[in-house]
Amino acid sequence: MAWRRQGTLARVELAEVVSPGSLVEPDGRYLADLMGRGVQGSADAVVLPATTDEVAAVMRWCYEHDVPLTARGGGTGLAGGAIPVEGGVVLGFERLNKIRQFDPLLWRMHVEAGVTTGDVQRLARESGLRFPPDPGAAETSQIGGNIACNAGGPHAFKYGVTGNWVTGIEAVIPPGEIVRIGGSIRKDVASYDVKSLLVGSEGTLGLVTAAWLRLTPAPELELPVIGLYRDADAGISAIERVLASGVVPATIEYMDEVTLRYSGDTYPFGIPADGAFMVMTEADGAVSEARRVATELQEALAEDAVAVHAPEDPAEVAELWRWRGGVAFAILAQRGGAFSEDIAVPLDRLRDVARETLEIGARHDIPALSFGHAGDGNIHSTFLFAPDDPEQERRADAACQELFELALRLGGTVTGEHGIGWLKRGQLEHQLGAAGYDLHLRIKHAFDPKGLLNPGKKR
Ligand SMILES: Cc1cc2nc3c(=O)[nH]c(=O)nc-3n(C[C@H](O)[C@H](O)[C@H](O)COP(=O)(O)OP(=O)(O)OC[C@H]3O[C@@H](n4cnc5c(N)ncnc54)[C@H](O)[C@@H]3O)c2cc1C
């Protein structure tokens, strides 16, 4: 078989440029991510380098031999970004996982790309600090993957997304050069903002091998305040009141009626019978500040609410966040399959997203719901299907396509978190227009003239 010979040859030649332990069999776990469309790529070789020099050697080999090169972090991506759709070499970062330096007194950490998000968060916390980006799969996702997707999470409302916490990037760029942009400096306007180009580039411009991260003192107190409403209209009005009040919560999430139907059983404080829409906020900061903000949040959320919950016991607060973390899984459990997208819209269009998501689901005759990071206008509109029913799955996919159109019609973006990846291929041109898309392609060409880095993605 031609593929096997090519694969064997690739592995033999790569074995000459990397250390013996760095080459592994190209088995299934390196060929898919969590996108959930049953797409599996193929690879001639999987390399797990332990040093930046090895990453550079692999890229040089790929560039010399015109072989595609796909970066893989924790594989938790939801857009197919890490799937090697055009074969070639998969480069996994799991062995490039050292903390190079941690200066708690200077609020900074220098880590290799394969360190998990959870490890960075824990290490910071042990020294009274916080790495605020909190994407949901933190125990598996890696800092390199977070940077490549510019990952967010519930607390992005107050603290921003991953890119806001990156002061420098070490990367390998074609044809195999190691570059360092920024570093352990908090300000830098010397060059074009190349760091920000690499952030969110989904492995299509360069391979992130290490990052300098900014940290912040951990809040002394975190006080969630949750409002429950009769319907989406009342709930979204409550979000608007919170924003208009000028108070700054750490997070503003919403869960619509269908989401609560599927996940409400385990909500720790009980959903009242007429509670059909939840707004979840959190006050944080120094003790007095968190209390002041929590009081103001309670006032803003109370109007028209059927219940307001404001747990203070740390165990209850932890339970609440465990519940929030499990919402996506409770939804998935309903039918076994769920396509959960991540459009973002201007805040004055939240109402349209909540309503039109349900309408799209009805048009395609599948259950639909929405929940997510309402304060950022970044909503996980979700369509459910039974995995053993291909027709239902096709309808769920068609609903997603309609959702992307909705996002653009509302002046939003097809992706606020997960990236374009492979899943949303073709959407970028619609969103950017011809001239904007041409600029996008020219940037790609400037970094990767042979188009070998993660081909088929972010287009
Ligand atoms: C349960 C669950 C909850 C989630 N919640 C959130 C959320 O709240 N917010 C959010 O933003 N996302 C969320 N995600 C999506 C996902 O976890 C994030 O996109 C995460 O940043 C992906 O990191 P990863 O290491 O798993 O990357 P992968 O999936 O391995 O790769 C993602 C992309 O990054 C590229 N890449 C990976 N590593 C590198 C590197 N070192 N250099 C260059 N390119 C690289 C890959 O080629 C690919 O294009 C969630 C996913 C799950 C399963």
Side-chain angles (χ1 to χ4, degrees):
M1 276 162 62
W3 180 85
R4 283 200 68 80
R5 276 210 309 280
Q6 197 180 8
T8 307
L9 182 63
R11 291 200 285 281
V12 168
E13 291 193 11
L14 277 167
E16 288 170 15
V17 300
V18 296
S19 60
S22 298
L23 265 172
V24 297
E25 281 303 307
D27 70 44
R29 80 199 143 112
Y30 293 105
L31 306 179
D33 66 3
L34 296 180
M35 176 177 66
R37 259 81 174 173
V39 180
Q40 172 147 329
S42 64
D44 297 318
V46 175
V47 193
L48 307 178
T51 65
T52 299
D53 284 337
E54 271 193 301
V55 176
V58 174
M59 191 186 288
R60 272 197 298 276
W61 183 88
C62 288
Y63 239 70
E64 237 166 68
H65 297 85
D66 292 329
V67 173
L69 176 57
T70 301
R72 182 185 183 80
T76 68
L78 297 170
I83 304 176
V85 289
E86 295 192 13
V89 172
V90 170
L91 192 150
F93 282 89
E94 62 205 58
R95 291 175 69 226
L96 202 68
N97 62 356
K98 285 190 281 302
I99 308 287
R100 290 188 182 166
Q101 197 169 332
F102 178 30
D103 301 306
L105 299 183
L106 296 172
W107 308 357
R108 67 187 194 195
M109 205 186 285
H110 181 198
V111 300
E112 291 183 343
V115 176
T116 65
T117 321
D119 280 345
V120 169
Q121 290 168 339
R122 260 187 300 280
L123 190 59
R125 213 164 33 232
E126 281 162 15
S127 293
L129 294 168
R130 180 181 207 181
F131 178 65
D134 56 347
E139 292 308 321
T140 313
S141 69
Q142 301 174 0
I143 288 299
N146 296 161
I147 291 173
C149 295
N150 202 6
H155 290 85
F157 177 69
K158 178 172 176 183
Y159 293 98
V161 290
T162 301
N164 297 97
W165 298 90
V166 175
T167 62
I169 287 178
E170 175 191 275
V172 175
I173 54 160
E177 316 266 353
I178 300 170
V179 293
R180 170 184 164 161
I181 296 138
S184 55
I185 42 177
R186 290 172 65 94
K187 294 176 85 178
D188 177 16
V189 294
S191 71
Y192 296 126
D193 195 354
V194 179
K195 181 188 70 185
S196 295
L197 273 179
L198 287 168
V199 171
S201 64
E202 300 183 46
T204 62
L205 301 183
L207 303 185
V208 176
T209 49
W212 286 263
L213 305 176
R214 194 164 66 82
L215 308 169
T216 191
E220 287 172 12
L221 189 61
E222 292 162 299
L223 295 173
V225 184
I226 302 117
L228 283 140
Y229 304 88
R230 274 192 188 79
D231 54 30
D233 230 27
I236 289 170
S237 295
I239 292 172
E240 288 167 352
R241 275 197 307 279
V242 168
L243 291 167
S245 74
V247 67
V248 184
T251 180
I252 308 179
E253 301 275 299
Y254 90 47
M255 268 58 86
D256 80 350
E257 179 173 7
V258 185
T259 306
L260 292 181
R261 196 183 308 147
Y262 296 155
S263 64
D265 280 359
T266 50
Y267 172 67
F269 316 112
I271 310 269
D274 49 355
F277 193 91
M278 177 185 287
V279 177
M280 180 172 159
T281 66
E282 186 178 78
D284 74 351
V287 174
S288 57
E289 169 73 357
R291 290 205 183 287
R292 181 187 64 77
V293 172
T295 305
E296 289 188 37
L297 286 172
Q298 286 189 43
E299 279 164 19
L301 291 176
E303 195 180 318
D304 276 346
V306 296
V308 173
H309 299 146
E312 294 207 1
D313 176 356
E316 285 185 344
V317 173
E319 204 186 337
L320 173 72
W321 278 107
R322 256 196 311 280
W323 171 78
R324 171 64 187 90
V327 163
F329 299 101
I331 290 167
L332 184 63
Q334 288 307 307
R335 291 213 165 181
F339 292 153
S340 197
E341 300 309 339
D342 64 315
I343 61 167
V345 297
L347 288 178
D348 53 335
R349 307 317 294 263
L350 277 178
R351 241 175 257 278
D352 304 84
V353 173
R355 190 189 69 255
E356 293 204 40
T357 296
L358 300 179
E359 290 171 3
I360 292 173
R363 267 198 295 281
H364 293 272
D365 194 21
I366 41 169
L369 55 91
S370 67
F371 67 100
H373 318 307
D376 284 328
N378 181 199
I379 300 301
H380 297 307
S381 294
T382 302
F383 304 101
L384 306 188
F385 60 92
D388 58 0
D389 184 341
E391 169 53 21
Q392 233 180 63
E393 182 168 347
R394 191 201 57 72
R395 290 204 304 273
D397 199 49
C400 292
Q401 300 305 318
E402 217 182 299
L403 180 77
F404 300 144
E405 284 166 26
L406 170 70
L408 299 187
R409 178 159 52 78
L410 297 179
T413 170
V414 296
T415 175
E417 283 195 329
H418 304 159
I420 294 285
W422 178 85
L423 175 69
K424 298 169 191 134
R425 62 197 180 285
Q427 293 294 338
L428 204 48
E429 192 168 2
H430 291 304
Q431 183 167 324
L432 296 179
Y437 187 58
D438 181 56
L439 177 61
H440 175 87
L441 294 182
R442 281 188 283 140
I443 291 169
K444 164 73 172 171
H445 188 74
F447 276 80
D448 179 22
K450 286 190 172 186
L452 295 175
L453 288 192
N454 212 357
K457 314 291 174 54
K458 207 150 180 90
R459 2 184 3 113

mmCIF file of all heavy atoms in Angstrom, residues 34 71-78 81-82 93 113 134-137 141-142 144-146 148-149 151-153 202-203 206-208 329 373 417-418 454, ligand 1:
data_model
loop_
_atom_site.group_PDB
_atom_site.id
_atom_site.type_symbol
_atom_site.label_atom_id
_atom_site.label_comp_id
_atom_site.label_asym_id
_atom_site.label_seq_id
_atom_site.Cartn_x
_atom_site.Cartn_y
_atom_site.Cartn_z
ATOM 1 N N LEU A 34 -12.488 16.537 19.701
ATOM 2 C CA LEU A 34 -13.808 16.338 20.288
ATOM 3 C C LEU A 34 -14.926 17.022 19.491
ATOM 4 O O LEU A 34 -15.998 17.274 20.006
ATOM 5 C CB LEU A 34 -13.810 16.809 21.746
ATOM 6 C CG LEU A 34 -12.884 16.001 22.666
ATOM 7 C CD1 LEU A 34 -12.942 16.524 24.098
ATOM 8 C CD2 LEU A 34 -13.251 14.518 22.664
ATOM 9 N N ALA A 71 -0.417 20.553 14.281
ATOM 10 C CA ALA A 71 -0.132 20.619 15.720
ATOM 11 C C ALA A 71 -1.285 20.018 16.495
ATOM 12 O O ALA A 71 -2.450 20.193 16.139
ATOM 13 C CB ALA A 71 0.063 22.079 16.137
ATOM 14 N N ARG A 72 -0.933 19.321 17.584
ATOM 15 C CA ARG A 72 -1.963 18.752 18.449
ATOM 16 C C ARG A 72 -1.630 19.074 19.900
ATOM 17 O O ARG A 72 -0.545 18.763 20.391
ATOM 18 C CB ARG A 72 -2.003 17.244 18.277
ATOM 19 C CG ARG A 72 -3.083 16.628 19.121
ATOM 20 C CD ARG A 72 -3.072 15.118 19.068
ATOM 21 N NE ARG A 72 -4.196 14.639 19.844
ATOM 22 C CZ ARG A 72 -5.439 14.604 19.408
ATOM 23 N NH1 ARG A 72 -5.713 15.009 18.192
ATOM 24 N NH2 ARG A 72 -6.419 14.178 20.184
ATOM 25 N N GLY A 73 -2.595 19.711 20.577
ATOM 26 C CA GLY A 73 -2.426 19.959 22.009
ATOM 27 C C GLY A 73 -3.113 18.855 22.778
ATOM 28 O O GLY A 73 -2.795 17.676 22.624
ATOM 29 N N GLY A 74 -4.112 19.221 23.583
ATOM 30 C CA GLY A 74 -4.840 18.222 24.363
ATOM 31 C C GLY A 74 -5.923 17.512 23.565
ATOM 32 O O GLY A 74 -6.555 16.582 24.052
ATOM 33 N N GLY A 75 -6.181 17.970 22.347
ATOM 34 C CA GLY A 75 -7.211 17.339 21.502
ATOM 35 C C GLY A 75 -8.628 17.602 21.996
ATOM 36 O O GLY A 75 -9.552 16.877 21.642
ATOM 37 N N THR A 76 -8.833 18.670 22.785
ATOM 38 C CA THR A 76 -10.175 18.973 23.298
ATOM 39 C C THR A 76 -10.929 19.955 22.393
ATOM 40 O O THR A 76 -12.034 20.377 22.726
ATOM 41 C CB THR A 76 -10.134 19.584 24.715
ATOM 42 O OG1 THR A 76 -9.540 20.890 24.617
ATOM 43 C CG2 THR A 76 -9.342 18.710 25.670
ATOM 44 N N GLY A 77 -10.301 20.328 21.289
ATOM 45 C CA GLY A 77 -10.910 21.297 20.390
ATOM 46 C C GLY A 77 -12.263 20.803 19.890
ATOM 47 O O GLY A 77 -12.504 19.606 19.750
ATOM 48 N N LEU A 78 -13.152 21.747 19.603
ATOM 49 C CA LEU A 78 -14.513 21.392 19.192
ATOM 50 C C LEU A 78 -14.781 21.797 17.743
ATOM 51 O O LEU A 78 -15.929 21.820 17.316
ATOM 52 C CB LEU A 78 -15.516 22.074 20.134
ATOM 53 C CG LEU A 78 -15.418 21.618 21.602
ATOM 54 C CD1 LEU A 78 -16.257 22.506 22.510
ATOM 55 C CD2 LEU A 78 -15.839 20.166 21.759
ATOM 56 N N GLY A 81 -9.902 21.311 14.645
ATOM 57 C CA GLY A 81 -8.636 21.981 14.323
ATOM 58 C C GLY A 81 -7.422 21.073 14.377
ATOM 59 O O GLY A 81 -6.476 21.237 13.604
ATOM 60 N N ALA A 82 -7.432 20.090 15.266
ATOM 61 C CA ALA A 82 -6.242 19.246 15.441
ATOM 62 C C ALA A 82 -6.315 17.964 14.598
ATOM 63 O O ALA A 82 -5.429 17.122 14.694
ATOM 64 C CB ALA A 82 -6.070 18.895 16.925
ATOM 65 N N PHE A 93 2.189 17.962 21.629
ATOM 66 C CA PHE A 93 3.014 18.738 22.560
ATOM 67 C C PHE A 93 3.077 18.164 23.978
ATOM 68 O O PHE A 93 3.620 18.793 24.871
ATOM 69 C CB PHE A 93 2.503 20.186 22.591
ATOM 70 C CG PHE A 93 2.944 20.971 21.395
ATOM 71 C CD1 PHE A 93 2.185 21.006 20.240
ATOM 72 C CD2 PHE A 93 4.163 21.636 21.396
ATOM 73 C CE1 PHE A 93 2.603 21.696 19.118
ATOM 74 C CE2 PHE A 93 4.595 22.337 20.286
ATOM 75 C CZ PHE A 93 3.817 22.372 19.139
ATOM 76 N N ALA A 113 4.552 24.679 25.901
ATOM 77 C CA ALA A 113 3.210 24.644 25.313
ATOM 78 C C ALA A 113 2.358 23.487 25.808
ATOM 79 O O ALA A 113 1.138 23.578 25.868
ATOM 80 C CB ALA A 113 3.325 24.571 23.789
ATOM 81 N N ASP A 134 -10.436 30.262 31.763
ATOM 82 C CA ASP A 134 -10.983 29.035 32.355
ATOM 83 C C ASP A 134 -11.833 28.238 31.368
ATOM 84 O O ASP A 134 -13.016 27.972 31.608
ATOM 85 C CB ASP A 134 -11.785 29.365 33.628
ATOM 86 C CG ASP A 134 -12.910 30.371 33.387
ATOM 87 O OD1 ASP A 134 -12.929 31.005 32.308
ATOM 88 O OD2 ASP A 134 -13.772 30.515 34.267
ATOM 89 N N PRO A 135 -11.233 27.842 30.232
ATOM 90 C CA PRO A 135 -11.992 26.984 29.315
ATOM 91 C C PRO A 135 -12.357 25.671 30.003
ATOM 92 O O PRO A 135 -11.637 25.204 30.887
ATOM 93 C CB PRO A 135 -11.032 26.765 28.140
ATOM 94 C CG PRO A 135 -9.669 27.026 28.682
ATOM 95 C CD PRO A 135 -9.854 28.044 29.772
ATOM 96 N N GLY A 136 -13.467 25.074 29.553
ATOM 97 C CA GLY A 136 -14.094 23.986 30.304
ATOM 98 C C GLY A 136 -13.328 22.683 30.410
ATOM 99 O O GLY A 136 -13.596 21.893 31.304
ATOM 100 N N ALA A 137 -12.391 22.407 29.491
ATOM 101 C CA ALA A 137 -11.694 21.110 29.528
ATOM 102 C C ALA A 137 -10.271 21.304 30.069
ATOM 103 O O ALA A 137 -9.311 20.712 29.562
ATOM 104 C CB ALA A 137 -11.682 20.488 28.144
ATOM 105 N N SER A 141 -6.830 20.256 28.196
ATOM 106 C CA SER A 141 -6.349 21.225 27.209
ATOM 107 C C SER A 141 -4.999 21.768 27.651
ATOM 108 O O SER A 141 -4.658 21.769 28.828
ATOM 109 C CB SER A 141 -7.355 22.370 27.028
ATOM 110 O OG SER A 141 -7.419 23.191 28.173
ATOM 111 N N GLN A 142 -4.213 22.206 26.677
ATOM 112 C CA GLN A 142 -2.857 22.681 26.955
ATOM 113 C C GLN A 142 -2.743 24.179 26.681
ATOM 114 O O GLN A 142 -3.521 24.725 25.885
ATOM 115 C CB GLN A 142 -1.858 21.933 26.066
ATOM 116 C CG GLN A 142 -1.881 20.429 26.265
ATOM 117 C CD GLN A 142 -0.983 19.702 25.270
ATOM 118 O OE1 GLN A 142 -0.335 20.316 24.414
ATOM 119 N NE2 GLN A 142 -0.931 18.383 25.393
ATOM 120 N N GLY A 144 -0.575 25.683 24.933
ATOM 121 C CA GLY A 144 -0.359 25.907 23.494
ATOM 122 C C GLY A 144 -1.668 25.883 22.721
ATOM 123 O O GLY A 144 -1.906 26.724 21.851
ATOM 124 N N GLY A 145 -2.547 24.923 23.066
ATOM 125 C CA GLY A 145 -3.851 24.833 22.408
ATOM 126 C C GLY A 145 -4.723 26.023 22.776
ATOM 127 O O GLY A 145 -5.451 26.563 21.942
ATOM 128 N N ASN A 146 -4.653 26.457 24.041
ATOM 129 C CA ASN A 146 -5.429 27.633 24.469
ATOM 130 C C ASN A 146 -4.990 28.875 23.698
ATOM 131 O O ASN A 146 -5.821 29.688 23.285
ATOM 132 C CB ASN A 146 -5.230 27.924 25.963
ATOM 133 C CG ASN A 146 -5.749 26.837 26.884
ATOM 134 O OD1 ASN A 146 -5.358 26.770 28.037
ATOM 135 N ND2 ASN A 146 -6.607 25.972 26.387
ATOM 136 N N ALA A 148 -3.461 28.837 20.744
ATOM 137 C CA ALA A 148 -3.789 28.636 19.325
ATOM 138 C C ALA A 148 -5.264 28.913 19.052
ATOM 139 O O ALA A 148 -5.634 29.264 17.934
ATOM 140 C CB ALA A 148 -3.421 27.225 18.898
ATOM 141 N N CYS A 149 -6.142 28.728 20.068
ATOM 142 C CA CYS A 149 -7.580 28.992 19.883
ATOM 143 C C CYS A 149 -8.002 30.292 20.563
ATOM 144 O O CYS A 149 -9.167 30.661 20.497
ATOM 145 C CB CYS A 149 -8.410 27.843 20.454
ATOM 146 S SG CYS A 149 -8.158 26.302 19.599
ATOM 147 N N ALA A 151 -8.489 30.726 23.720
ATOM 148 C CA ALA A 151 -9.620 30.196 24.482
ATOM 149 C C ALA A 151 -10.140 31.190 25.520
ATOM 150 O O ALA A 151 -9.374 31.958 26.112
ATOM 151 C CB ALA A 151 -9.203 28.898 25.181
ATOM 152 N N GLY A 152 -11.437 31.124 25.736
ATOM 153 C CA GLY A 152 -12.076 31.933 26.776
ATOM 154 C C GLY A 152 -12.680 31.024 27.823
ATOM 155 O O GLY A 152 -12.151 29.953 28.109
ATOM 156 N N GLY A 153 -13.811 31.440 28.357
ATOM 157 C CA GLY A 153 -14.483 30.681 29.406
ATOM 158 C C GLY A 153 -15.385 31.633 30.159
ATOM 159 O O GLY A 153 -15.473 32.824 29.809
ATOM 160 N N GLU A 202 -4.597 28.891 15.361
ATOM 161 C CA GLU A 202 -5.013 27.487 15.192
ATOM 162 C C GLU A 202 -3.969 26.625 14.476
ATOM 163 O O GLU A 202 -4.313 25.773 13.653
ATOM 164 C CB GLU A 202 -6.364 27.426 14.453
ATOM 165 C CG GLU A 202 -7.480 28.156 15.186
ATOM 166 C CD GLU A 202 -8.821 28.018 14.472
ATOM 167 O OE1 GLU A 202 -9.172 26.904 14.080
ATOM 168 O OE2 GLU A 202 -9.511 29.047 14.305
ATOM 169 N N GLY A 203 -2.714 26.885 14.781
ATOM 170 C CA GLY A 203 -1.656 26.039 14.221
ATOM 171 C C GLY A 203 -1.419 26.246 12.740
ATOM 172 O O GLY A 203 -0.773 25.421 12.099
ATOM 173 N N GLY A 206 2.276 29.040 12.834
ATOM 174 C CA GLY A 206 3.496 28.604 13.514
ATOM 175 C C GLY A 206 3.110 27.666 14.639
ATOM 176 O O GLY A 206 1.931 27.522 14.969
ATOM 177 N N LEU A 207 4.122 27.016 15.209
ATOM 178 C CA LEU A 207 3.862 26.112 16.332
ATOM 179 C C LEU A 207 4.341 26.795 17.603
ATOM 180 O O LEU A 207 5.514 27.155 17.720
ATOM 181 C CB LEU A 207 4.609 24.788 16.127
ATOM 182 C CG LEU A 207 4.294 24.041 14.822
ATOM 183 C CD1 LEU A 207 4.999 22.698 14.791
ATOM 184 C CD2 LEU A 207 2.795 23.847 14.641
ATOM 185 N N VAL A 208 3.432 26.997 18.529
ATOM 186 C CA VAL A 208 3.777 27.633 19.806
ATOM 187 C C VAL A 208 4.493 26.592 20.661
ATOM 188 O O VAL A 208 3.951 25.516 20.923
ATOM 189 C CB VAL A 208 2.495 28.107 20.527
ATOM 190 C CG1 VAL A 208 2.830 28.685 21.906
ATOM 191 C CG2 VAL A 208 1.750 29.116 19.672
ATOM 192 N N PHE A 329 -22.441 18.243 29.623
ATOM 193 C CA PHE A 329 -22.526 16.779 29.620
ATOM 194 C C PHE A 329 -23.975 16.320 29.847
ATOM 195 O O PHE A 329 -24.418 15.327 29.271
ATOM 196 C CB PHE A 329 -21.583 16.190 30.668
ATOM 197 C CG PHE A 329 -20.149 16.566 30.378
ATOM 198 C CD1 PHE A 329 -19.523 17.588 31.071
ATOM 199 C CD2 PHE A 329 -19.452 15.924 29.359
ATOM 200 C CE1 PHE A 329 -18.221 17.962 30.770
ATOM 201 C CE2 PHE A 329 -18.150 16.282 29.048
ATOM 202 C CZ PHE A 329 -17.535 17.315 29.749
ATOM 203 N N HIS A 373 -21.851 32.162 27.625
ATOM 204 C CA HIS A 373 -21.171 33.324 28.188
ATOM 205 C C HIS A 373 -21.884 34.606 27.730
ATOM 206 O O HIS A 373 -21.380 35.360 26.878
ATOM 207 C CB HIS A 373 -19.707 33.293 27.770
ATOM 208 C CG HIS A 373 -19.105 31.911 27.840
ATOM 209 N ND1 HIS A 373 -19.169 31.140 28.989
ATOM 210 C CD2 HIS A 373 -18.447 31.153 26.933
ATOM 211 C CE1 HIS A 373 -18.568 29.977 28.765
ATOM 212 N NE2 HIS A 373 -18.126 29.958 27.532
ATOM 213 N N GLU A 417 -15.015 31.313 20.408
ATOM 214 C CA GLU A 417 -14.138 30.519 21.283
ATOM 215 C C GLU A 417 -13.437 29.372 20.577
ATOM 216 O O GLU A 417 -12.248 29.174 20.727
ATOM 217 C CB GLU A 417 -14.964 29.881 22.418
ATOM 218 C CG GLU A 417 -15.338 30.814 23.528
ATOM 219 C CD GLU A 417 -15.826 30.079 24.763
ATOM 220 O OE1 GLU A 417 -16.417 29.000 24.631
ATOM 221 O OE2 GLU A 417 -15.602 30.601 25.861
ATOM 222 N N HIS A 418 -14.200 28.544 19.866
ATOM 223 C CA HIS A 418 -13.648 27.265 19.412
ATOM 224 C C HIS A 418 -12.769 27.376 18.185
ATOM 225 O O HIS A 418 -11.970 26.485 17.911
ATOM 226 C CB HIS A 418 -14.778 26.268 19.116
ATOM 227 C CG HIS A 418 -15.703 26.051 20.272
ATOM 228 N ND1 HIS A 418 -16.983 25.547 20.135
ATOM 229 C CD2 HIS A 418 -15.530 26.274 21.610
ATOM 230 C CE1 HIS A 418 -17.557 25.472 21.329
ATOM 231 N NE2 HIS A 418 -16.705 25.918 22.235
ATOM 232 N N ASN A 454 -1.094 22.847 9.188
ATOM 233 C CA ASN A 454 -2.518 22.577 9.419
ATOM 234 C C ASN A 454 -3.382 22.897 8.200
ATOM 235 O O ASN A 454 -4.335 23.685 8.270
ATOM 236 C CB ASN A 454 -3.014 23.354 10.643
ATOM 237 C CG ASN A 454 -4.113 22.600 11.361
ATOM 238 O OD1 ASN A 454 -4.547 21.536 10.917
ATOM 239 N ND2 ASN A 454 -4.592 23.139 12.455
HETATM 240 C C1 LIG B 1 -16.057 20.057 27.779
HETATM 241 C C2 LIG B 1 -15.398 21.135 26.991
HETATM 242 C C3 LIG B 1 -15.553 22.454 27.394
HETATM 243 C C4 LIG B 1 -14.913 23.472 26.673
HETATM 244 N N1 LIG B 1 -15.070 24.747 27.114
HETATM 245 C C5 LIG B 1 -14.443 25.738 26.463
HETATM 246 C C6 LIG B 1 -14.578 27.094 26.918
HETATM 247 O O1 LIG B 1 -15.240 27.374 27.910
HETATM 248 N N2 LIG B 1 -13.924 28.050 26.229
HETATM 249 C C7 LIG B 1 -13.156 27.761 25.122
HETATM 250 O O2 LIG B 1 -12.579 28.684 24.541
HETATM 251 N N3 LIG B 1 -13.036 26.498 24.657
HETATM 252 C C8 LIG B 1 -13.646 25.485 25.309
HETATM 253 N N4 LIG B 1 -13.507 24.212 24.847
HETATM 254 C C9 LIG B 1 -12.724 23.942 23.628
HETATM 255 C C10 LIG B 1 -11.241 23.560 23.852
HETATM 256 O O3 LIG B 1 -11.026 22.991 25.126
HETATM 257 C C11 LIG B 1 -10.346 24.785 23.687
HETATM 258 O O4 LIG B 1 -10.424 25.265 22.352
HETATM 259 C C12 LIG B 1 -8.879 24.543 24.003
HETATM 260 O O5 LIG B 1 -8.180 25.758 23.939
HETATM 261 C C13 LIG B 1 -8.188 23.554 23.043
HETATM 262 O O6 LIG B 1 -6.918 23.232 23.576
HETATM 263 P P1 LIG B 1 -6.217 21.843 23.226
HETATM 264 O O7 LIG B 1 -4.880 21.849 23.886
HETATM 265 O O8 LIG B 1 -7.086 20.712 23.542
HETATM 266 O O9 LIG B 1 -6.024 22.005 21.648
HETATM 267 P P2 LIG B 1 -6.304 20.972 20.462
HETATM 268 O O10 LIG B 1 -7.717 20.565 20.417
HETATM 269 O O11 LIG B 1 -5.291 19.888 20.502
HETATM 270 O O12 LIG B 1 -5.981 21.919 19.214
HETATM 271 C C14 LIG B 1 -6.785 23.017 18.937
HETATM 272 C C15 LIG B 1 -6.145 23.837 17.810
HETATM 273 O O13 LIG B 1 -4.917 24.404 18.267
HETATM 274 C C16 LIG B 1 -3.815 23.967 17.474
HETATM 275 N N5 LIG B 1 -2.708 23.776 18.411
HETATM 276 C C17 LIG B 1 -2.688 23.009 19.524
HETATM 277 N N6 LIG B 1 -1.516 23.152 20.172
HETATM 278 C C18 LIG B 1 -0.773 24.033 19.447
HETATM 279 C C19 LIG B 1 0.529 24.589 19.593
HETATM 280 N N7 LIG B 1 1.311 24.305 20.628
HETATM 281 N N8 LIG B 1 0.965 25.470 18.636
HETATM 282 C C20 LIG B 1 0.185 25.790 17.586
HETATM 283 N N9 LIG B 1 -1.040 25.291 17.399
HETATM 284 C C21 LIG B 1 -1.528 24.431 18.322
HETATM 285 C C22 LIG B 1 -4.299 22.699 16.787
HETATM 286 O O14 LIG B 1 -3.625 22.501 15.559
HETATM 287 C C23 LIG B 1 -5.764 23.011 16.592
HETATM 288 O O15 LIG B 1 -5.943 23.801 15.451
HETATM 289 C C24 LIG B 1 -14.133 23.160 25.543
HETATM 290 C C25 LIG B 1 -13.983 21.838 25.135
HETATM 291 C C26 LIG B 1 -14.607 20.834 25.846
HETATM 292 C C27 LIG B 1 -14.415 19.413 25.402
#
